mmCIF file of all heavy atoms in Angstrom:
data_model
loop_
_atom_site.group_PDB
_atom_site.id
_atom_site.type_symbol
_atom_site.label_atom_id
_atom_site.label_comp_id
_atom_site.label_asym_id
_atom_site.label_seq_id
_atom_site.Cartn_x
_atom_site.Cartn_y
_atom_site.Cartn_z
ATOM 1 N N LYS A 78 -83.619 26.652 55.662
ATOM 2 C CA LYS A 78 -83.117 26.707 56.966
ATOM 3 C C LYS A 78 -81.668 26.360 57.133
ATOM 4 O O LYS A 78 -80.989 26.704 58.051
ATOM 5 C CB LYS A 78 -83.984 25.886 57.957
ATOM 6 C CG LYS A 78 -85.352 26.398 58.200
ATOM 7 C CD LYS A 78 -85.972 25.891 59.494
ATOM 8 C CE LYS A 78 -86.524 24.438 59.362
ATOM 9 N NZ LYS A 78 -87.710 24.349 58.471
ATOM 10 N N LEU A 79 -81.206 25.439 56.264
ATOM 11 C CA LEU A 79 -79.795 24.917 56.338
ATOM 12 C C LEU A 79 -78.731 25.605 55.356
ATOM 13 O O LEU A 79 -77.729 25.516 55.540
ATOM 14 C CB LEU A 79 -79.819 23.434 55.914
ATOM 15 C CG LEU A 79 -80.649 22.539 56.744
ATOM 16 C CD1 LEU A 79 -80.639 21.067 56.244
ATOM 17 C CD2 LEU A 79 -80.291 22.507 58.196
ATOM 18 N N ARG A 80 -79.357 26.472 54.470
ATOM 19 C CA ARG A 80 -78.514 27.132 53.545
ATOM 20 C C ARG A 80 -77.500 28.028 54.136
ATOM 21 O O ARG A 80 -77.809 28.700 55.095
ATOM 22 C CB ARG A 80 -79.446 27.864 52.467
ATOM 23 C CG ARG A 80 -79.153 27.344 51.077
ATOM 24 C CD ARG A 80 -80.182 28.006 50.163
ATOM 25 N NE ARG A 80 -81.383 27.153 50.016
ATOM 26 C CZ ARG A 80 -82.503 27.635 49.372
ATOM 27 N NH1 ARG A 80 -82.553 28.872 48.991
ATOM 28 N NH2 ARG A 80 -83.555 26.795 49.193
ATOM 29 N N TRP A 81 -76.324 28.080 53.513
ATOM 30 C CA TRP A 81 -75.191 28.905 53.894
ATOM 31 C C TRP A 81 -74.733 28.592 55.261
ATOM 32 O O TRP A 81 -74.166 29.329 55.923
ATOM 33 C CB TRP A 81 -75.588 30.430 53.913
ATOM 34 C CG TRP A 81 -76.317 30.775 52.694
ATOM 35 C CD1 TRP A 81 -77.586 31.340 52.616
ATOM 36 C CD2 TRP A 81 -76.022 30.620 51.296
ATOM 37 N NE1 TRP A 81 -78.082 31.513 51.428
ATOM 38 C CE2 TRP A 81 -77.178 31.071 50.705
ATOM 39 C CE3 TRP A 81 -75.028 29.982 50.590
ATOM 40 C CZ2 TRP A 81 -77.199 31.000 49.169
ATOM 41 C CZ3 TRP A 81 -74.972 29.934 49.183
ATOM 42 C CH2 TRP A 81 -76.131 30.428 48.555
ATOM 43 N N LYS A 82 -74.965 27.312 55.699
ATOM 44 C CA LYS A 82 -74.470 26.977 57.081
ATOM 45 C C LYS A 82 -73.206 25.930 56.931
ATOM 46 O O LYS A 82 -72.938 25.237 57.745
ATOM 47 C CB LYS A 82 -75.533 26.216 57.879
ATOM 48 C CG LYS A 82 -76.643 27.340 58.186
ATOM 49 C CD LYS A 82 -77.249 27.050 59.569
ATOM 50 C CE LYS A 82 -78.212 28.087 59.930
ATOM 51 N NZ LYS A 82 -79.555 27.590 60.190
ATOM 52 N N GLY A 83 -72.701 25.947 55.645
ATOM 53 C CA GLY A 83 -71.554 25.104 55.388
ATOM 54 C C GLY A 83 -71.805 23.641 55.084
ATOM 55 O O GLY A 83 -70.850 22.826 55.175
ATOM 56 N N TYR A 84 -73.041 23.301 54.808
ATOM 57 C CA TYR A 84 -73.317 21.966 54.289
ATOM 58 C C TYR A 84 -72.789 21.669 53.007
ATOM 59 O O TYR A 84 -72.918 22.591 52.080
ATOM 60 C CB TYR A 84 -74.787 21.615 54.367
ATOM 61 C CG TYR A 84 -75.431 21.590 55.739
ATOM 62 C CD1 TYR A 84 -75.970 22.716 56.423
ATOM 63 C CD2 TYR A 84 -75.313 20.283 56.505
ATOM 64 C CE1 TYR A 84 -76.576 22.545 57.715
ATOM 65 C CE2 TYR A 84 -75.777 20.228 57.729
ATOM 66 C CZ TYR A 84 -76.368 21.364 58.297
ATOM 67 O OH TYR A 84 -76.909 21.301 59.630
ATOM 68 N N VAL A 85 -72.084 20.650 52.795
ATOM 69 C CA VAL A 85 -71.442 20.254 51.510
ATOM 70 C C VAL A 85 -72.061 18.989 51.087
ATOM 71 O O VAL A 85 -72.044 18.006 51.848
ATOM 72 C CB VAL A 85 -69.977 20.172 51.508
ATOM 73 C CG1 VAL A 85 -69.386 19.927 50.141
ATOM 74 C CG2 VAL A 85 -69.362 21.598 51.987
ATOM 75 N N TYR A 86 -72.505 18.780 49.847
ATOM 76 C CA TYR A 86 -72.965 17.501 49.318
ATOM 77 C C TYR A 86 -71.817 16.495 49.094
ATOM 78 O O TYR A 86 -70.882 16.789 48.398
ATOM 79 C CB TYR A 86 -73.817 17.647 48.025
ATOM 80 C CG TYR A 86 -74.339 16.368 47.538
ATOM 81 C CD1 TYR A 86 -75.626 15.828 48.070
ATOM 82 C CD2 TYR A 86 -73.666 15.560 46.719
ATOM 83 C CE1 TYR A 86 -76.085 14.630 47.754
ATOM 84 C CE2 TYR A 86 -74.234 14.283 46.286
ATOM 85 C CZ TYR A 86 -75.403 13.919 46.830
ATOM 86 O OH TYR A 86 -75.964 12.645 46.410
ATOM 87 N N TYR A 87 -71.912 15.444 49.792
ATOM 88 C CA TYR A 87 -71.169 14.215 49.441
ATOM 89 C C TYR A 87 -71.780 13.031 48.894
ATOM 90 O O TYR A 87 -72.829 12.765 49.556
ATOM 91 C CB TYR A 87 -70.214 13.866 50.697
ATOM 92 C CG TYR A 87 -69.214 14.821 51.282
ATOM 93 C CD1 TYR A 87 -69.531 15.542 52.367
ATOM 94 C CD2 TYR A 87 -68.088 15.074 50.579
ATOM 95 C CE1 TYR A 87 -68.699 16.573 52.820
ATOM 96 C CE2 TYR A 87 -67.198 16.020 51.071
ATOM 97 C CZ TYR A 87 -67.546 16.680 52.140
ATOM 98 O OH TYR A 87 -66.587 17.723 52.601
ATOM 99 N N SER A 88 -71.385 12.348 47.843
ATOM 100 C CA SER A 88 -71.972 11.147 47.498
ATOM 101 C C SER A 88 -72.064 10.119 48.615
ATOM 102 O O SER A 88 -71.095 9.725 49.162
ATOM 103 C CB SER A 88 -71.168 10.559 46.333
ATOM 104 O OG SER A 88 -71.511 9.175 46.164
ATOM 105 N N PRO A 89 -73.321 9.757 48.873
ATOM 106 C CA PRO A 89 -73.481 8.734 49.913
ATOM 107 C C PRO A 89 -72.821 7.422 49.658
ATOM 108 O O PRO A 89 -72.425 6.766 50.524
ATOM 109 C CB PRO A 89 -75.071 8.600 50.074
ATOM 110 C CG PRO A 89 -75.588 9.134 48.804
ATOM 111 C CD PRO A 89 -74.669 10.157 48.319
ATOM 112 N N ILE A 90 -72.733 7.139 48.261
ATOM 113 C CA ILE A 90 -72.082 5.848 47.913
ATOM 114 C C ILE A 90 -70.536 5.796 48.217
ATOM 115 O O ILE A 90 -70.059 4.993 48.862
ATOM 116 C CB ILE A 90 -72.402 5.612 46.455
ATOM 117 C CG1 ILE A 90 -73.929 5.502 46.055
ATOM 118 C CG2 ILE A 90 -71.782 4.104 46.078
ATOM 119 C CD1 ILE A 90 -74.140 5.384 44.733
ATOM 120 N N VAL A 91 -69.982 6.949 47.798
ATOM 121 C CA VAL A 91 -68.587 7.039 48.053
ATOM 122 C C VAL A 91 -68.334 7.176 49.636
ATOM 123 O O VAL A 91 -67.375 6.481 50.061
ATOM 124 C CB VAL A 91 -68.031 8.333 47.275
ATOM 125 C CG1 VAL A 91 -66.430 8.603 47.670
ATOM 126 C CG2 VAL A 91 -68.220 8.157 45.776
ATOM 127 N N THR A 92 -69.223 7.797 50.311
ATOM 128 C CA THR A 92 -68.988 7.870 51.756
ATOM 129 C C THR A 92 -69.105 6.561 52.352
ATOM 130 O O THR A 92 -68.278 6.162 53.258
ATOM 131 C CB THR A 92 -70.055 8.881 52.366
ATOM 132 O OG1 THR A 92 -69.959 10.062 51.629
ATOM 133 C CG2 THR A 92 -69.769 9.079 53.795
ATOM 134 N N MET A 93 -70.137 5.802 52.069
ATOM 135 C CA MET A 93 -70.318 4.493 52.502
ATOM 136 C C MET A 93 -69.198 3.522 52.234
ATOM 137 O O MET A 93 -68.609 2.893 53.031
ATOM 138 C CB MET A 93 -71.638 3.909 51.808
ATOM 139 C CG MET A 93 -72.189 2.727 52.543
ATOM 140 S SD MET A 93 -74.034 2.638 52.102
ATOM 141 C CE MET A 93 -74.054 2.643 50.250
#
Side-chain angles (χ1 to χ4, degrees):
K78 289 199 285 290
L79 302 176
R80 241 173 263 167
W81 320 122
K82 296 212 169 124
Y84 288 97
V85 181
Y86 181 84
Y87 292 108
S88 157
I90 305 173
V91 175
T92 310
M93 200 155 53

